Amino acid sequence: MSFLVCDVGPRDGLQNEARSLEPSVRAELCDRLAAAGIKRLEAASFVNPRLVPQMAGAEEVMAALHRVRGTTYAGLVLNEQGYERASAAGVDEIHYAFAATDEFGRRNQNATTAQGVETALSLVRRARADRMPITVTISVAFGCPFEGPVPPQRVLGIVERLMEVPADEISLADTIGVGVPGQVTELVGEARKLGATVGAHFHNTRNTGYANAVAALDAGVVSLDSSVGGAGGCPFAPKATGNIATEDLAYLLRGMGLDTGIDIDRLVECSLWLGGQLGKELSGMLARAGDYPQKG
């Protein structure tokens, strides 16, 4: 049985790093991920570079890619202008994100949750007209650094609104890594009952990310986000640490009998390369190439 993993390393993995990588280097990261068998990746973020300078040059990243047939190159957007930039740059898929809480939304994209929902519905309509696949992500769906725990009914109310014009996928994001498996089971299950096709995005801040991934799988998600080497964090969320590592997630999924199409050894080599570019050791690098048995 196959399962889709989306590597968000070129976007979420790099947006909070002290060292900014040039667009050509970020494009090479995308090339290396595709060569390792990643079938969907967030190649660039079309946000204001003054707010997130690590993501400057998104169009240059897209232009420098050596695209691999069968790999989807997505672009993150936060508003209509971002959609226009991403579409013009040639992304294969739009990823739009907004917050489940007003305070996080104001700090992250100067919009309340209600405004984020309206933008989501507008962008999905545009994407439908343009025949562009679109995923809508609900950030801080499990907890907010400013407002605390987020009630499940609040998140499910947002999902219900989004289903007025359904996106191809609705991703539930644990942006700061506070969720636990019971929450995941409830949110994913109830969102699916509302008719949503659900994906999930987990951080491993409190070492619950992989347990949450398993809970999400059991509850019926169609995709999981992860980041090569476990790189990542949110510039608008204090003390937010890395995503679950793609190489470790791929190993977990393979052990569960799910085929991701990912060459784990090549992905670990990509993680080592990225760590060298950033001048740091990444969490997913704890297992070196060759440490993952291919059989048994």
Side-chain angles (χ1 to χ4, degrees):
M1 180 179 176
S2 62
F3 186 79
L4 184 61
V5 172
C6 178
D7 194 294
V8 298
R11 192 276 303 176
D12 196 10
L14 301 179
Q15 68 180 5
N16 203 36
E17 288 293 333
R19 180 181 296 183
S20 295
L21 302 184
E22 293 296 319
S24 61
V25 179
R26 282 145 52 202
E28 182 177 352
L29 173 58
C30 294
D31 291 345
R32 288 172 178 265
L33 290 171
I38 298 295
K39 297 298 188 292
R40 181 199 278 177
L41 56 90
E42 282 191 353
S45 178
F46 295 84
V47 297
N48 189 332
R50 290 176 298 175
L51 299 178
V52 189
Q54 297 90 335
M55 293 292 99
E59 287 84 355
E60 296 173 60
V61 173
M62 296 302 301
L65 294 172
H66 297 88
R67 292 184 183 243
V68 173
R69 185 183 297 273
T71 298
T72 297
Y73 298 84
L76 178 78
V77 310
L78 298 182
N79 49 39
E80 300 274 356
Q81 182 180 5
Y83 179 98
E84 291 164 6
R85 287 179 59 202
S87 181
V91 302
D92 299 319
E93 184 173 292
I94 295 290
H95 289 183
Y96 167 71
F98 72 100
T101 64
D102 289 335
E103 186 59 28
F104 191 92
R106 291 189 188 99
R107 297 188 186 216
N108 189 51
Q109 59 206 101
N110 195 30
T112 64
T113 300
Q115 291 170 324
V117 169
E118 292 304 320
T119 300
L121 296 174
S122 175
L123 291 181
V124 174
R125 291 187 183 97
R126 288 188 66 172
R128 289 284 172 266
D130 295 339
R131 297 185 178 181
M132 173 73 76
I134 184 168
T135 290
V136 172
T137 295
I138 304 174
S139 302
V140 293
F142 296 85
C144 172
F146 311 112
E147 296 189 24
V150 178
Q153 288 307 314
R154 177 175 176 82
V155 179
L156 294 172
I158 294 168
V159 173
E160 189 169 20
R161 283 292 320 280
L162 294 175
M163 292 306 295
E164 294 175 16
V165 187
D168 294 280
E169 189 175 315
I170 294 176
S171 180
L172 302 173
D174 186 11
T175 309
I176 59 171
V178 293
V180 296
Q183 289 176 283
V184 174
T185 299
E186 178 181 8
L187 274 185
V188 172
E190 294 300 318
R192 292 185 66 219
K193 288 179 184 178
L194 293 171
T197 299
V198 183
H201 175 114
F202 297 115
H203 286 234
N204 204 39
T205 310
R206 292 162 181 82
N207 294 315
T208 58
Y210 299 99
N212 288 340
V214 173
L217 282 167
D218 289 343
V221 297
V222 299
S223 71
L224 286 168
D225 288 352
S226 58
S227 176
V228 58
C234 178
F236 302 98
K239 299 182 181 180
T241 56
N243 298 271
I244 56 175
T246 306
E247 54 267 42
D248 296 331
L249 176 63
Y251 179 78
L252 172 64
L253 295 175
R254 188 175 66 192
M256 296 174 65
L258 298 172
D259 177 22
T260 62
I262 295 172
D263 183 327
I264 297 176
D265 283 343
R266 292 192 71 173
L267 189 60
V268 173
E269 292 171 1
C270 180
S271 175
L272 289 164
W273 174 85
L274 178 59
Q277 298 299 313
L278 295 172
K280 62 186 290 187
E281 186 168 287
L282 302 174
S283 66
M285 291 165 58
L286 296 177
R288 297 295 195 264
D291 288 346
Y292 292 100
Q294 296 298 316
K295 295 181 180 180

